[in-house]
Amino acid sequence: MLPDGALEPGRTALISDLLFDTISYFDYKESFYHAFLTGLFSNGGYQVESNYENGLSRSDLVIKDRKNRRAAVIEAKWAEAGSQLEKECLGALDQIEHRQYARKIERSGFQKVVKLGMAFFQKTCLEMGPDH
């Protein structure tokens, strides 16, 4: 299991450290980071839904903690430069809102649904919640 708060914003440093320690210089595409997050949360004991239809489109990842009735909707983006990480995170959060990814999850009885925009550039991650 991941530590308490794993479905909350604030994991930027932890994920960046994991990327720095584990990935190759050549692994820099959005699909790689998507798979990285899927494995990270799957191995943490959560139910992971990848590219499932939610709201008006398909969300990148939905991480569900059924026992505690909480979930996280994650939209992952790849940045072309480190200076674009914040812009990509904000775009991901905007996508979650406009495509209503959390609505179906909230309606299915999850008491808390966290929305996270994540952006990646090389071995660096930036994560933002709606409150930035």
Side-chain angles (χ1 to χ4, degrees), residues 45-130:
Y46 295 103
Q47 178 185 345
V48 178
E49 297 175 352
S50 175
N51 286 316
Y52 279 41
E53 184 176 319
N54 284 302
L56 303 174
S57 188
R58 291 181 300 141
S59 54
D60 279 345
L61 293 171
V62 174
I63 315 300
K64 292 181 177 178
D65 176 358
R66 290 194 176 280
K67 179 182 175 187
N68 296 305
R69 306 302 301 153
R70 55 191 184 144
V73 177
I74 299 174
E75 188 63 30
K77 299 293 183 188
W78 173 76
E80 291 186 19
S83 61
Q84 295 180 341
L85 288 168
E86 185 173 336
K87 176 184 165 231
E88 294 296 335
C89 276
L90 293 172
L93 288 167
D94 187 57
Q95 183 174 331
I96 291 169
E97 278 304 310
H98 283 92
R99 295 188 183 170
Q100 302 177 39
Y101 291 156
R103 187 173 178 190
K104 177 181 173 184
I105 300 154
E106 291 165 342
R107 292 173 56 88
S108 67
F110 283 85
Q111 296 170 350
K112 183 171 187 175
V113 180
V114 176
K115 301 167 190 171
L116 300 173
M118 299 184 81
F120 297 88
F121 174 69
Q122 297 180 351
K123 295 185 179 197
T124 304
C125 166
L126 179 63
E127 168 197 33
M128 297 173 80

